[in-house]
Amino acid sequence: MLRQVLHRGLRTCFSRLGHFIASHPVFFASAPVLISILLGASFSRYQVEESVEHLLAPQHSLAKIERNLVNSLFPVNRSKHRLYSDLQTPGRYGRVIVTSFQKANMLDQHHTDLILKLHAAVTKIQVPRPGFNYTFAHICILNNDKTCIVDDIVHVLEELKNARATNRTNFAITYPITHLKDGRAVYNGHQLGGVTVHSKDRVKSAEAIQLTYYLQSINSLNDMVAERWESSFCDTVRLFQKSNSKVKMYPYTSSSLREDFQKTSRVSEQRYLVTSLILVVTMAILCCTMQDCVRSKPWLGLLGLVTISLATLTAAGIINLTGGKYNSTFLGVPFVMLGHGLYGTFEMLSSWRKTREDQHVKERTAAVYADSMLSFSLTTAMYLVTFGIGASPFTNIEAARIFCCNSCIAIFFNYLYVLSFYGSSLVFTGYIENNYQHSIFCRKVPKPEALQEKPAWYRFLLTARFSEDTTEGEEANTYESHLLVCFLKRYYCDWITNTYVKPFVVLFYLIYISFALMGYLQVSEGSDLSNIVATATQTIEYTTAQQKYFSNYSPVIGFYIYESIEYWNTSVQEDVLEYTKGFVRISWFESYLNYLRKLNVSTGLPKKNFTDMLRNSFLKAPQFSHFQEDIIFSKKYNDEVDVVASRMFLVAKTMETNREELYDLLETLRRLSVTSKVKFIVFNPSFVYMDRYASSLGAPLHNSCISALFLLFFSAFLVADSLINVWITLTVVSVEFGVIGFMTLWKVELDCISVLCLIYGINYTIDNCAPLLSTFVLGKDFTRTKWVKNALEVHGVAILQSYLCYIVGLIPLAAVPSNLTCTLFRCLFLIAFVTFFHCFAILPNREEIECVEMVDIDSTRVVDQITTV
């Protein structure tokens, strides 16, 4: 009883609101336009988010805390020799992978000379500034002897060239660790790719070589020069590529990911979004057009899109005024608005068709608001709650939080503008219709007898049915000349409820569930940053080449001991070596122990003797002089020295292409660091993106699902029958399950973009299915088959109109050369298609209970044979 009272009360309130808006249409039409212009004008000076890490890395993660600890123990200026860019911070750098089209050996004389020429060309790059030209020597990371640090592979190639020049045959390169003539052992697992080895790890050939040039960025001027040097570096590599067509080069810099991420917006804005807009406008106008020139509403189709555009512009202006920055994920916001806003406007238009034409425009508008605004308000509230939870601090990924925040603001203003701007537009077109004016040209339409002498095309353009020529039986069929209304009422409703069609629908649903389950069991998390950049870019080409040639070993993992342990204790040494068992150790610890053992020095010496020997041996043994940066000494009051922290670097024999394997490696080392006797941490810059990525990624979707369930539960008191919410919940589960399964089969990983689409999918499903379910459940007067048909006739046209507009708007996204928009297109297309399948196939047959009247033998009573499908 309470639900019915609340339901009627809300309908009455919306009826009065519609009557009030119809009484002041000019104000409610102009106010949204003025607000949008004032707020949206600020968006002309929008700022772009530069930091990809800020957007896509989890905001609160253990990896960031570990990075701060590592930076405090081993500052960047102490990390010169050990793969500088792979240790603590990406920094500024330029990289290039050199390979051959014919899979030639990059270590032969011709390619060795070619790579050394490229190295010489890179070191001569100049960055002009007023009064000075900066070269690589001015901005490089300096060695202890004040010379530039270059990759050890360059020294290897130089020694290989000298050996050939002097006809020395005893020089051999081993993999993944080789030795230079000064006795240093250097790791080349990330510099040599596609390696073929002889016995004892001697390199026979290598298909690719990677060079890295590390730059300083200690102040703003230095950082600006380094950024320009990176740009010149890419240009130099491309010019060198043109002059040496038999080799292929893949340049990459620290700015490549950011530039390629932002490139998605530029390539989308060129012609694809314009094409999408033209297609949506055309389809919206066609969906609102009918043969009757008076009752046709083409302007409402266009004004519905204007309403959505005004709301999106207002939201963009507010985000910009509050300090928000634009990023490429915002491309999805207009499509979120398109799905919700268009359905609301088409539902109002559908309600308008059900009103009596002899009523005043104000009364018809009040009836439209009473009929459509309650469901539209509830679905808008669902959007605000689900995206509001995603915009809360509970969301750990900034890109998802900003997207949800922008969507919330846009949806809120879209709701207000549909009530005001679109409602006023409906009033204006209502007056045009009541005055029998042409729906496009707004001129008075003459009676049919006055058009007899006009040409056929003229009579076709002015076709209209006048009320005085229409009987009461024909008045209800006035709008049946609309193509979609005619299609649903005369053909589709009878076909979908046919007894012979139902088994095929059940079969298709079983197939749907089977394939969805198959995909659901293969869901993978996508933490690969190349999934969010434009295609045919440096990032994609470089990443592809790196995964092809350099995936034998994981990134270099720093193993940091941050306590003063008994290094002289044999058991402690064995513990540390046991923790790093199975890794390639490219650091001082094991090498030094082996060095001591070769000198027959006992590692069981007292602490003072050991630390003194440790410090002195670094000075005496030249092969360990460059490891001084890997140990932190602390001098005490009695002239004793203590090792307060140390580090070693590990490389796992794993596949870098398998992100799950690398993630499992990180979690294994984390658990080991908690249970081990030695206090240590592990870190690599890529861990910042991977750490807690699964939980951070799923949190917005998880929270949104919970909030949606709670809202459905509490909204049960606002709808006329709580059974509606039960059916809505089951439908949402079915749709989301199918979308997740099919997007996996379509090679879409569970990343930031797909999770945001899944949150939107919850609301899109409720948007389209709730009115159908509500109309069916509340139907009491006729047979169930009749109410299934009635539900499709009442709400099916609006669903079909919004679906057609939505799909044609999505189609241009498929052609955008970007992985981000590709993911966006596939997810949104699946959401729309699966929801459409449920609305027009699954729900009519799941709801329907066909009642067939049968008369018993003595004809004294009627029996209803109820057959449930």
Side-chain angles (χ1 to χ4, degrees), residues 41 57 72 125-126 142 262 274 296 298 386 481 488 593 619 651 744 829 834:
S72 64
I125 294 175
Q126 292 186 352
L142 297 178
Q262 296 171 358
V274 175
S296 181
T386 52
S481 59
L488 287 176
L593 293 181
L619 300 177
V651 179
T744 304
F829 178 82
V834 173

Side-chain angles (χ1 to χ4, degrees), residues 278-288 346 801 804-805 808:
I278 293 174
L279 290 176
V280 173
V281 169
T282 304
M283 183 57 68
I285 292 175
L286 291 177
C287 286
C288 297
F346 284 135
Q801 287 173 323
L804 292 174
C805 295
V808 298

Side-chain angles (χ1 to χ4, degrees), residues 627-794:
F627 288 129
Q628 295 183 42
E629 63 197 43
D630 294 336
I631 298 179
I632 298 178
F633 292 99
S634 175
K635 188 173 182 179
K636 295 187 177 181
Y637 65 93
N638 55 357
D639 291 333
E640 291 186 4
V641 291
D642 193 11
V643 180
V644 297
S646 61
R647 65 180 177 181
M648 69 177 72
F649 302 105
L650 315 173
V651 179
K653 183 70 175 178
T654 182
M655 294 187 64
E656 202 169 343
T657 54
N658 192 336
R659 308 293 295 183
E660 293 183 1
E661 188 176 356
L662 194 58
Y663 180 79
D664 292 340
L665 175 64
L666 170 62
E667 291 300 311
T668 301
L669 290 173
R670 285 271 176 78
R671 289 192 297 268
L672 188 61
S673 67
V674 174
T675 59
S676 67
K677 299 177 183 178
V678 179
K679 294 182 180 179
F680 71 89
I681 58 175
V682 291
F683 181 74
N684 179 275
S686 63
F687 291 172
V688 174
Y689 293 95
M690 298 172 57
D691 190 23
R692 307 291 295 172
Y693 188 81
S695 59
S696 299
L697 193 64
L701 180 61
H702 179 263
N703 296 334
S704 297
C705 290
I706 293 178
S707 61
L709 290 175
F710 272 106
L711 187 61
L712 286 172
F713 173 76
F714 287 113
S715 65
F717 298 100
L718 299 178
V719 296
D721 196 324
S722 58
L723 187 61
I724 298 173
N725 288 0
V726 176
W727 282 113
I728 290 176
T729 304
L730 294 176
T731 305
V732 168
V733 170
S734 179
V735 171
E736 290 288 287
F737 178 75
V739 170
I740 294 175
F742 281 99
M743 80 178 194
T744 304
L745 296 178
W746 208 352
K747 298 181 181 180
V748 176
E749 296 179 329
L750 198 63
D751 57 10
C752 177
I753 304 301
S754 57
V755 165
L756 292 174
C757 291
L758 290 174
I759 296 175
Y760 169 65
I762 298 173
N763 302 282
Y764 185 84
T765 305
I766 296 174
D767 243 347
N768 290 270
C769 298
L772 276 176
L773 291 167
S774 177
T775 302
F776 172 77
V777 171
L778 297 178
K780 305 295 183 183
D781 298 334
F782 304 104
T783 62
R784 294 297 185 182
T785 301
K786 175 62 178 177
W787 274 109
V788 168
K789 294 180 180 180
N790 184 62
L792 287 174
E793 291 172 5
V794 172

Side-chain angles (χ1 to χ4, degrees), residues 284 288 298-310 337-338 341-342 345-346 414 418 421-422 425:
C288 297
W299 287 113
L300 284 184
L302 177 62
L303 291 172
L305 293 175
V306 172
T307 304
I308 298 170
S309 302
L310 292 176
M337 299 296 300
L338 190 65
L342 276 183
T345 56
F346 284 135
N414 178 74
V418 168
F421 180 81
Y422 190 78
S425 303

Side-chain angles (χ1 to χ4, degrees), residues 788-816:
V788 168
K789 294 180 180 180
N790 184 62
L792 287 174
E793 291 172 5
V794 172
H795 301 289
V797 175
I799 297 173
L800 193 56
Q801 287 173 323
S802 62
Y803 175 77
L804 292 174
C805 295
Y806 194 69
I807 288 299
V808 298
L810 283 179
I811 289 175
L813 275 185
V816 178

Side-chain angles (χ1 to χ4, degrees), residues 175-474:
Y175 181 81
I177 294 179
T178 191
H179 293 81
L180 300 178
K181 64 180 180 181
D182 60 359
R184 286 194 296 126
V186 297
Y187 171 74
N188 56 23
H190 289 161
Q191 282 76 45
L192 294 179
V195 176
T196 303
V197 296
H198 288 299
S199 59
K200 297 182 180 179
D201 296 331
R202 296 182 62 179
V203 177
K204 179 181 179 181
S205 64
E207 296 181 8
I209 288 180
Q210 180 172 234
L211 303 177
T212 306
Y213 300 89
Y214 307 115
L215 309 174
Q216 296 182 22
S217 55
I218 55 179
N219 53 53
S220 58
L221 175 62
N222 195 259
D223 186 72
M224 180 185 64
V225 173
E227 184 177 8
R228 293 188 178 182
W229 188 93
E230 289 178 348
S231 178
S232 300
F233 169 79
C234 294
D235 296 337
T236 301
V237 172
R238 294 190 189 98
L239 290 175
F240 200 84
Q241 165 82 72
K242 291 180 180 180
S243 60
N244 299 273
S245 57
K246 292 185 179 181
V247 295
K248 179 62 177 174
M249 300 180 183
Y250 304 93
Y252 187 78
T253 67
S254 63
S255 304
S256 296
L257 179 62
R258 171 179 56 83
E259 294 172 354
D260 295 342
F261 176 64
Q262 296 171 358
K263 188 177 179 181
T264 298
S265 301
R266 295 194 296 271
V267 298
S268 300
E269 292 169 356
Q270 290 174 358
R271 60 179 183 273
Y272 301 103
L273 290 183
V274 175
T275 304
S276 177
L277 180 61
I278 293 174
L279 290 176
V280 173
V281 169
T282 304
M283 183 57 68
I285 292 175
L286 291 177
C287 286
C288 297
T289 303
M290 52 191 298
Q291 186 177 359
D292 193 319
C293 68
V294 172
R295 295 167 181 85
S296 181
K297 298 289 187 293
W299 287 113
L300 284 184
L302 177 62
L303 291 172
L305 293 175
V306 172
T307 304
I308 298 170
S309 302
L310 292 176
T312 306
L313 183 62
T314 302
I318 292 176
I319 291 292
N320 191 54
L321 288 174
T322 54
K325 296 182 179 180
Y326 176 82
N327 64 81
S328 294
T329 60
F330 282 10
L331 288 173
V333 175
F335 295 96
V336 171
M337 299 296 300
L338 190 65
H340 179 58
L342 276 183
Y343 180 74
T345 56
F346 284 135
E347 189 68 27
M348 292 180 68
L349 184 57
S350 179
S351 299
W352 177 270
R353 296 192 187 100
K354 293 185 294 183
T355 57
R356 292 169 47 193
E357 293 186 354
D358 58 350
Q359 290 180 311
H360 193 273
V361 172
K362 295 181 181 179
E363 296 176 354
R364 297 183 72 178
T365 305
V368 168
Y369 276 69
D371 183 58
S372 60
M373 278 298 110
L374 179 57
S375 62
F376 186 65
S377 299
L378 290 178
T379 54
T380 300
M382 184 69 72
Y383 272 92
L384 293 177
V385 170
T386 52
F387 280 112
I389 293 295
S392 68
F394 296 108
T395 301
N396 202 17
I397 297 181
E398 188 67 12
R401 193 190 67 80
I402 296 175
F403 180 91
C404 292
C405 181
N406 195 356
S407 299
C408 264
I409 298 174
I411 288 166
F412 175 74
F413 279 96
N414 178 74
Y415 177 73
L416 296 181
Y417 290 175
V418 168
L419 287 176
S420 55
F421 180 81
Y422 190 78
S424 301
S425 303
L426 189 64
V427 172
F428 289 131
T429 57
Y431 281 115
I432 292 175
E433 178 182 336
N434 279 13
N435 294 332
Y436 288 94
Q437 293 175 293
H438 199 281
S439 59
I440 299 178
F441 307 110
C442 301
R443 59 164 295 182
K444 190 75 172 179
V445 177
K447 293 289 185 71
E449 52 270 18
L451 298 174
Q452 295 299 326
E453 298 179 357
K454 299 292 183 180
W457 63 268
Y458 190 84
R459 294 198 304 270
F460 177 79
L461 290 178
L462 296 180
T463 300
R465 181 181 294 181
F466 288 80
S467 57
E468 56 266 25
D469 300 330
T470 306
T471 63
E472 292 184 3
E474 295 176 336

